[in-house]
Amino acid sequence: MPSAPSHPGGAPPAPPAPPPKAASQEVLHSSALLGPRQAIEIEHNGQRYRLQSTKSGKLILTK
């Protein structure tokens, strides 16, 4: 005698579809921005930001 399906109505529901992939973006290496410097200033929408590379190799962006 066949066993009853574990989900009402037959097969289990399909998993949700993954979100659509974002359009590929250009990747810039940090050295292209910083060059030999440890910090630079970036102006964005009239505001100045400071991008700084730490001794441990991390990036910090501050306003």
Side-chain angles (χ1 to χ4, degrees):
M1 181 176 232
S3 63
S6 59
H7 295 280
K21 281 192 168 186
S24 64
Q25 296 179 358
E26 183 178 356
V27 176
L28 296 175
H29 196 274
S30 60
S31 63
L33 295 170
L34 293 168
R37 301 170 296 269
Q38 226 173 338
I40 60 169
E41 288 191 0
I42 299 171
E43 187 171 321
H44 177 71
N45 289 337
Q47 300 286 319
R48 286 254 173 132
Y49 296 84
R50 178 180 167 89
L51 180 67
Q52 176 181 336
S53 175
T54 67
K55 290 181 182 178
S56 61
K58 296 181 181 182
L59 290 176
I60 300 173
L61 181 64
T62 54
K63 192 170 181 182

